[in-house]
Amino acid sequence: MIQSATIQDRLDVYAIRQQFPVLSREVKDKPLVYFDNAATSQKPQVVLDALMNYYTEYNANIHRGIHTLAEEATAAFEATRDTVKQFINAAGREEIIFTKGTTEGINLVAQTWGRQNVKAGDEIIISNMEHHSNIVPWYILCEEKGAILKVIPINEDGELMMDEFEKLLSSKTKIVSIVHASNALGTINPVKKIINAAHKAGAVVLLDGAQSSVHLDIDVQDLDCDFFSFSSHKVYGPTGVGVLYGKKHLLESMPVYQGGGEMIKEVRFDKIIYNDLPYKFEAGTPNIADTIAFKAALDFTNKIGKENMRRHENELLGYATTQLEQIPGLKIIGKAKEKVSLISFVIDKIHPQDLGILLDNRGIAVRTGHHCAQPLMDHYCIPGTTRASFAVYNTKEEIDSLIQGLQRAIKMLS
Ligand SMILES: Cc1ncc(COP(=O)(O)O)c(C=O)c1O
């Protein structure tokens, strides 16, 4: 089971901030306020140390070497797999496939499981709030196979219309691929219900865990999802590493993804025997350093405890929501009852881009634009939003700075 840290009434956020070197820098002569955590989180010193330590102490290629450095690097790399297994409560370490990130995990499933199981006339269900990385791989597969992409609509608050989902499900549905928590709205989707219903219809379910993995406790066995894809860099870890979890029997039944070293047992010109899980899906030299440092990020998260993080982040979310709602002309996009700690909003007659530039002049980093969710922006008939997303190291004072910055920007722009 997931290790639980002691539940604390209040986090010492200032002590946590000390662990993130970048947070002490200034931008445009102002203290950095980093509210772009949904795009990528900052990295604690332990992660930077793990990276440096690998390169200075035991840089070597993994798995095949018999020398000390290779053995140390292999042990550290495989230790991350064990930590990931615990982090999401997978049944076995062979169910943990290292990828480049969430995007690659989804593409892997589309190109292997999808190509093997989806045929002309079959249906794939996604939703109106998906990130492009959970739309395009399925679109490509549908184009190739003559399959049909079905989309679960959302209501005005940015919640999935579950009754519509039930109507879309049928014996033609092969896979339901759904975002666990939306990067553009913050909505936490009722994935257990979705998984249950999809399984009853005979479909498998992939969860895009890019945003949920840092905020929510993930227990893939309890969820009973068939695939779960997420990225290290949104969980305080390095870029370039991610995880695809898959149920063992599915991973075993799937054809290989990329060919090369590591994913084979034997190669002859007339016959190739592929490797066992998880290596079957890990062709070539992986991102060793970042994978090793990813463990440090997960240890950091486990040490503080997701529940403690969540409590702090939810407090920030509540505070920011109340403050933002008082700004005339500001509209929050995404008012689901269950949300992760991010807020998207638009302001009358002000382009998000202009707002982003003015906030940056005050050292405040927010994200503006379509957040890789163009169909969602089309649903709301807007070109984009401004998004502030909160992490464990953010403070209420920083939210006050954002509010002041917004008030100034509105005065200048309107
Ligand atoms: C919901 C969601 N899905 C997928 C992705 C893609 O993640 P990555 O770029 O790390 O592969 C993101 C990144 O922002 C995301 O927020």
Side-chain angles (χ1 to χ4, degrees):
M1 265 308 291
I2 295 153
Q3 288 168 332
S4 49
T6 320
I7 303 304
Q8 294 170 7
D9 278 349
R10 197 156 285 275
L11 284 183
D12 185 351
V13 63
Y14 300 99
I16 290 172
R17 288 178 71 81
Q18 296 291 319
Q19 299 180 50
F20 288 80
V22 76
L23 296 180
S24 58
R25 74 161 280 184
E26 298 197 330
V27 169
K28 315 266 165 78
D29 296 326
K30 308 275 184 338
L32 166 68
V33 173
Y34 188 77
F35 283 157
D36 197 16
N37 296 289
T40 197
S41 59
Q42 297 300 343
K43 320 302 171 201
Q45 188 64 50
V46 282
V47 169
L48 309 180
D49 290 346
L51 275 174
M52 195 60 160
N53 191 34
Y54 165 73
Y55 282 123
T56 50
E57 297 291 333
Y58 59 101
N59 171 50
N61 211 331
I62 55 168
H63 291 144
R64 286 167 308 278
I66 47 136
H67 59 81
T68 301
L69 265 57
E71 281 178 358
E72 288 177 9
T74 303
F77 182 89
E78 290 299 331
T80 303
R81 204 184 305 273
D82 294 323
T83 302
V84 171
K85 170 187 173 285
Q86 275 196 337
F87 192 73
I88 61 170
N89 195 32
R93 68 190 312 280
E94 67 279 17
E95 296 178 318
I96 307 298
I97 314 290
F98 287 121
T99 62
K100 279 192 301 188
T102 311
T103 305
E104 192 182 33
I106 300 171
N107 276 281
L108 192 161
V109 176
Q111 288 301 308
T112 59
W113 188 92
R115 277 179 146 175
Q116 188 179 48
N117 292 285
V118 175
K119 54 184 193 316
D122 283 345
E123 295 175 356
I124 293 169
I125 299 182
I126 57 171
S127 84
N128 201 171
M129 67 172 84
E130 299 307 320
H131 188 280
H132 294 164
S133 62
N134 196 29
I135 301 174
V136 186
W138 304 115
Y139 179 93
I140 294 170
L141 183 67
C142 285
E143 264 202 323
E144 183 187 320
K145 295 287 184 174
I148 301 148
L149 200 58
K150 297 269 174 174
V151 181
I152 311 171
I154 58 170
N155 64 23
E156 259 320 283
D157 285 344
E159 295 168 319
L160 292 180
M161 295 170 73
M162 289 297 284
D163 43 348
E164 296 298 321
F165 166 58
E166 304 265 347
K167 285 185 213 157
L168 290 179
L169 269 177
S170 77
S171 58
K172 288 187 192 159
T173 314
K174 286 291 169 293
I175 185 163
V176 178
S177 192
I178 287 289
V179 71
H180 194 176
S182 157
N183 65 306
L185 302 167
T187 310
I188 300 171
N189 285 320
V191 290
K192 265 187 121 165
K193 279 191 190 147
I194 292 173
I195 292 163
N196 251 323
H199 283 171
K200 276 189 192 138
V204 300
V205 179
L206 182 151
L207 293 184
D208 170 351
Q211 298 296 332
S212 62
S213 46
V214 66
H215 299 295
L216 308 179
D217 295 320
I218 307 297
D219 183 334
V220 289
Q221 293 187 75
D222 180 53
L223 287 168
D224 199 23
C225 57
D226 300 286
F227 301 104
F228 187 93
S229 190
F230 70 108
S231 305
S232 143
H233 70 98
K234 302 203 198 257
V235 196
Y236 306 108
T239 52
V241 190
V243 171
L244 173 70
Y245 157 82
K247 282 182 182 164
K248 187 176 172 186
H249 74 98
L250 289 173
L251 293 174
E252 274 175 341
S253 71
M254 281 152 55
V256 295
Y257 179 46
Q258 293 179 330
E262 200 63 40
M263 50 74 75
I264 42 79
K265 272 186 183 163
E266 271 184 50
V267 178
R268 300 283 177 279
F269 290 123
D270 56 353
K271 186 174 171 62
I272 294 176
I273 302 174
Y274 298 121
N275 211 339
D276 298 326
L277 291 175
Y279 311 107
K280 167 181 165 185
F281 291 108
E282 294 179 357
T285 300
N287 187 344
I288 303 168
D290 294 309
T291 305
I292 288 172
F294 181 25
K295 179 179 188 316
L298 296 178
D299 290 344
F300 164 86
T301 306
N302 287 335
K303 198 167 163 198
I304 297 176
K306 282 228 190 117
E307 190 168 343
N308 290 322
M309 287 185 168
R310 210 162 36 238
R311 198 178 288 190
H312 173 70
E313 291 160 356
N314 284 344
E315 217 176 295
L316 297 178
L317 178 67
Y319 183 68
T321 305
T322 311
Q323 301 291 313
L324 287 170
E325 278 175 343
Q326 287 165 27
I327 296 180
L330 185 146
K331 183 175 173 215
I332 292 176
I333 304 291
K335 292 186 150 192
K337 283 178 271 314
E338 299 283 336
K339 277 182 72 168
V340 292
S341 56
L342 66 86
I343 309 186
S344 261
F345 56 88
V346 288
I347 300 180
D348 277 350
K349 302 191 190 77
I350 296 181
H351 198 282
Q353 199 93 6
D354 297 333
L355 209 53
I357 291 166
L358 289 181
L359 288 173
D360 183 58
N361 285 339
R362 298 173 71 90
I364 302 169
V366 292
R367 182 130 309 230
T368 59
H370 56 56
H371 314 294
C372 289
Q374 274 181 341
L376 180 66
M377 299 299 127
D378 292 346
H379 169 82
Y380 284 102
C381 301
I382 50 176
T385 73
T386 302
R387 181 187 71 191
S389 49
F390 311 121
V392 66
Y393 41 69
N394 289 126
T395 65
K396 283 189 178 169
E397 295 88 82
E398 288 182 311
I399 291 171
D400 292 338
S401 301
L402 171 69
I403 302 297
Q404 282 159 21
L406 284 173
Q407 283 160 344
R408 290 268 308 224
I410 291 167
K411 262 192 200 142
M412 287 176 73
L413 293 169
S414 49

